[in-house]
């Protein structure tokens, strides 16, 4: 039977993680070292690195969960968190879209067709959402209230269409309490965010790209400017569709 932690129990476990769990940056460095030894084409190395480092964030969360003996109650098809704003760097957006371009033809065309409808159907909400300042503390709630789904969310299945390359915010927000809290409130207090892991992941992916770039490899990102340019996922997709993603 599923067990649901209450808010105080979640706070206690998170405090234990904060006080007693040491994140080992070596696990992220090891991925980078391994990839830099690879003789594979640069694009393969970059995309594999992107996915492995994203996966490493999931593994690190799993290790922390084991440390405090808790398991998330998120389940497939529950997508309330896919209405939050997803902010990522232009570098990550380029790696995500390049990964999607490598999906099999059917899957890729399904995504592109979905975007066609998505941008048409959500014009009004998008024009409001994309003007919001991602740095403003009020934005998260205001964006969520718009009820604008993420452009990667399949409206029929309520599943992510690019699950294996979904960005960090999608991986680091987890609910250990009753899933109904996400259905009932825009900003429930119970879910826990491991967003502090972004620093480890980003440091590692940045290092991988930097070394490849300094070695004169074609890394298909404008380094370093792409690494420090942030926007909403729908904004990057819109630019990708217009062919202006490479314009700084
Ligand atoms: S990228 Fe996927 S997991 Fe993340 S918000 Fe969008 S649909 Fe949800």
């Amino acid at each position: 039977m599923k067990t649901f932690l209450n808010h105080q129990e979640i706070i206690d476990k998170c405090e234990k993680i904060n006080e007693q769990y040491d994140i080992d940056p070596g696990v992220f460095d090891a991925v980078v070292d391994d990839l830099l030894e690879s003789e594979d084409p640069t694009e393969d190395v970059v995309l594999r690195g992107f996915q492995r480092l994203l996966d490493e964030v999931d593994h690190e969360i799993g290790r922390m969960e084991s440390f405090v003996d808790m398991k998330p109650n998120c389940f497939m098809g529950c997508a309330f968190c896919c209405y939050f704003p997803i902010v990522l760097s232009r570098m990550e957006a380029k790696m995500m879209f390049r990964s999607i371009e490598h999906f099999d033809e059917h899957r890729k065309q399904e995504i592109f067709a979905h975007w066609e409808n998505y941008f048409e159907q959500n014009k009004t909400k998008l024009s409001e959402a994309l003007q919001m300042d991602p740095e403003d503390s009020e934005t998260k709630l205001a964006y969520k209230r718009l009820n604008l789904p993420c452009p990667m969310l399949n409206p029929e299945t309520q599943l992510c269409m690019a699950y294996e390359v979904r960005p960090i915010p999608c991986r680091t927000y987890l609910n250990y309490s009753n899933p109904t809290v996400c259905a009932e409130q825009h900003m429930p207090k119970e879910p826990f965010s491991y967003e502090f892991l972004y620093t480890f992941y980003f440091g590692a992916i940045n290092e991988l790209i930097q070394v490849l770039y300094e070695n004169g490899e074609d890394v298909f990102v404008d380094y370093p400017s792409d690494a420090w340019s942030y926007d909403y996922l729908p904004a990057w997709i819109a630019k990708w569709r217009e062919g202006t993603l490479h314009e700084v």
Side-chain angles (χ1 to χ4, degrees):
M1 197 177 126
K2 276 265 181 198
T3 51
F4 303 133
L5 299 178
N6 65 37
H7 189 217
Q8 188 55 49
E9 288 168 329
I10 294 167
I11 290 175
D12 292 344
K13 286 182 185 280
C14 294
E15 275 177 2
K16 186 175 171 190
I17 291 174
N18 280 341
E19 288 163 10
Q20 299 177 27
Y21 185 88
D22 284 327
I23 298 168
D24 177 8
V27 295
F28 294 91
D29 296 341
V31 173
V32 175
D33 291 347
D34 184 42
L35 286 158
L36 288 174
E37 281 175 17
S38 168
E39 300 286 329
D40 292 342
T42 308
E43 179 164 331
D44 294 354
V45 172
V46 171
L47 296 185
R48 216 166 56 239
F50 176 52
Q51 199 164 333
R52 280 181 63 184
L53 290 167
L54 287 169
D55 289 344
E56 205 47 59
V57 169
D58 297 343
H59 299 154
E60 191 61 36
I61 291 173
R63 289 188 281 270
M64 285 189 246
E65 288 171 343
S66 300
F67 185 70
V68 292
D69 190 25
M70 66 177 178
K71 283 200 166 67
N73 293 312
C74 305
F75 58 92
M76 277 172 71
C78 176
F80 293 105
C81 56
C82 298
Y83 290 74
F84 277 119
I86 301 297
V87 176
L88 68 166
S89 68
R90 188 194 298 262
M91 180 170 89
E92 294 167 289
K94 283 183 180 174
M95 291 190 284
M96 185 181 182
F97 303 156
R98 194 62 76 102
S99 302
I100 290 171
E101 283 165 2
H102 285 273
F103 285 178
D104 72 55
E105 200 55 30
H106 175 73
R107 188 176 174 200
K108 198 166 59 178
Q109 292 310 330
E110 209 172 31
I111 292 172
F112 297 162
H114 168 62
W115 286 349
E116 196 76 41
N117 288 331
Y118 176 87
F119 282 95
E120 188 54 38
Q121 286 170 0
N122 292 294
K123 262 186 196 153
T124 314
K125 286 181 183 177
L126 279 164
S127 66
E128 196 176 335
L130 302 187
Q131 280 176 24
M132 293 181 187
D133 177 1
E135 305 281 330
D136 188 327
S137 60
E138 307 290 317
T139 290
K140 210 169 177 182
L141 179 57
Y143 192 112
K144 185 92 185 306
R145 280 196 170 128
L146 283 177
N147 211 27
L148 171 68
C150 170
M152 296 311 315
L153 186 65
N154 183 319
E156 280 156 29
T157 61
Q158 295 294 297
L159 298 175
C160 179
M161 300 175 91
Y163 189 76
E164 63 271 47
V165 286
R166 68 199 187 287
I168 290 290
C170 318
R171 295 165 187 262
T172 52
Y173 181 87
L174 291 159
N175 181 20
Y176 300 96
S177 67
N178 194 319
T180 55
V181 301
C182 297
E184 289 164 357
Q185 300 156 66
H186 281 305
M187 295 269 285
K189 61 183 185 309
E190 291 84 355
F192 182 65
S193 173
Y194 295 86
E195 61 194 1
F196 51 86
L197 286 175
Y198 187 75
T199 311
F200 296 88
Y201 146 84
F202 190 71
I205 193 77
N206 202 38
E207 191 191 335
L208 175 68
I209 299 293
Q210 186 178 357
V211 173
L212 292 170
Y213 177 80
E214 286 171 359
N215 288 346
E217 305 284 351
D218 176 10
V219 289
F220 69 81
V221 295
D222 290 312
Y223 188 83
S225 60
D226 281 358
W228 303 108
S229 170
Y230 283 84
D231 209 338
Y232 298 109
L233 178 57
W236 291 133
I237 294 176
K239 287 194 172 95
W240 180 87
R241 295 179 75 235
E242 288 160 4
T244 58
L245 185 63
H246 294 273
E247 291 171 16
V248 181

